[in-house]
Amino acid sequence: MTHTIVEPKAAVRQPAGARVGIPPRQMDFSMDQTRQYFYDDNATATLFFAMLSSWFPPGEHFFMESVRNFRDIVKDVTLKDQISGFMGQEAIHSREHDKLNGLFEQRGIDLRLPIAAVKTGLGALEYLPKSTRLAATTFMEHFTALLAEQLLEDPDFARKADPEMIKLWQWHALEELEHKAVAYDVYELAGNSQAERVVAAAAVIVALVPAAFFSWAWLVAHEGKAAGLKDIGQGLTLLFGSNGFVTKVLPKLPIFLRKHFHPAKHDSKALEAKWRRIMFGDDGFLNDYFRNRAAVMPTGMH
């Protein structure tokens, strides 16, 4: 009698970040069918998000390097795993936004100037001391977490967005909330000076806010449809009107300057759990794009 030997299935290696609720999810989005102006069919608002997307890869590289400068001082095993999850998520964000930026370029949206602008602004921040650079990163992470929370909590945003395009932004938003405290926890080990945080926030505003608005205006000026005042007015209202997407976020920014600020004090755990179920549960709408589910699911679905 011949016996067939069945080899045991190799265990799937769980990424360090997945052990602490910051799983680096390998995603592969398909956005080929999205409409030209994916946010409310408005060119001006769409170009704002295109500008943001072009800024993410250089920005996330800056964030990772700022944290990496202090990685050696971290002794806590949990925080080390959280840093690994943070790095993994940010690297995947950069890759997926690079793909999205390529799609924008194919559709005639020239992102070279916005990319050059953000690199120039971040280059200016590189002259700051390493600890101040890390403080600047925590301020920018605070801002992106606020944007992420607004995006996930505002059903009107999803209704106005292209149904394919919104998937990438919702996934990105969830992961920004999952790792929102990591850079700050590292900064606390590095000293955490309130005065330095004030300086860092001011430096970010001076270096990047004018670059952002200049980049956006340049994109609008070079987009034929957006030359109409009606489109520009509608876009500005969508983003910066009394009920605008960005307007709702801005009043929360100064919280960062408080003496005892910490990102975790603003609890978003319930929101994160809700969206993990919606995106990655048994019937999750992102499961078709999720390539390493077996590796991250053990702790990715709290």
Side-chain angles (χ1 to χ4, degrees), residues 30-185:
S30 174
M31 296 164 286
D32 292 341
Q33 302 305 310
T34 56
R35 58 186 187 246
Q36 177 75 359
Y37 300 125
F38 71 85
Y39 190 63
D40 207 30
D41 288 317
N42 180 269
T44 302
T46 294
L47 291 169
F48 177 82
F49 289 106
M51 181 269 295
L52 276 187
S53 182
S54 75
W55 279 37
F56 281 134
E60 282 154 348
H61 176 75
F62 180 91
F63 298 169
M64 289 188 284
E65 288 303 309
S66 297
V67 171
R68 192 174 284 119
N69 285 333
F70 292 91
R71 204 168 187 173
D72 289 346
I73 72 173
V74 178
K75 307 303 179 188
D76 179 74
V77 174
T78 298
L79 183 53
K80 285 183 177 182
D81 286 349
Q82 290 171 338
I83 292 170
S84 293
F86 166 79
M87 296 287 189
Q89 287 188 342
E90 293 287 50
I92 298 168
H93 296 171
S94 292
R95 184 191 71 204
E96 291 304 307
H97 277 280
D98 274 333
K99 288 166 55 179
L100 175 57
N101 296 337
L103 176 64
F104 287 141
E105 294 278 2
Q106 289 172 22
R107 295 183 175 181
I109 298 174
D110 189 348
L111 296 174
R112 287 176 296 177
L113 187 140
I115 292 171
V118 70
K119 287 183 176 179
T120 299
L122 293 172
L125 296 179
E126 291 283 356
Y127 288 98
L128 297 172
K130 288 182 179 180
S131 63
T132 313
R133 267 181 268 162
L134 182 56
T137 289
T138 66
F139 178 63
M140 289 184 276
E141 282 283 288
H142 171 58
F143 179 58
T144 53
L146 292 174
L147 287 176
E149 188 173 16
Q150 181 61 36
L151 189 151
L152 294 177
E153 286 189 324
D154 185 358
D156 195 42
F157 185 92
R159 282 195 296 268
K160 290 174 178 175
D162 179 276
E164 281 300 311
M165 185 68 72
I166 190 63
K167 293 175 182 178
L168 181 149
W169 294 86
Q170 288 171 327
W171 155 75
H172 190 161
L174 170 64
E175 295 196 346
E176 286 297 329
L177 294 179
E178 288 177 334
H179 69 233
K180 69 179 183 179
V182 175
Y184 200 87
D185 285 339

Side-chain angles (χ1 to χ4, degrees), residues 203-214:
V204 169
I205 291 168
V206 170
L208 295 179
V209 170
F213 280 100
F214 175 75

Side-chain angles (χ1 to χ4, degrees), residues 7 9 54 67 82 95 106 141 222 229-230 263 268 279 293:
E7 295 289 340
K9 196 179 223 179
S54 75
V67 171
Q82 290 171 338
R95 184 191 71 204
Q106 289 172 22
E141 282 283 288
H222 283 74
L229 291 178
K230 181 179 178 181
S268 58
M279 293 181 194
R293 182 183 180 89

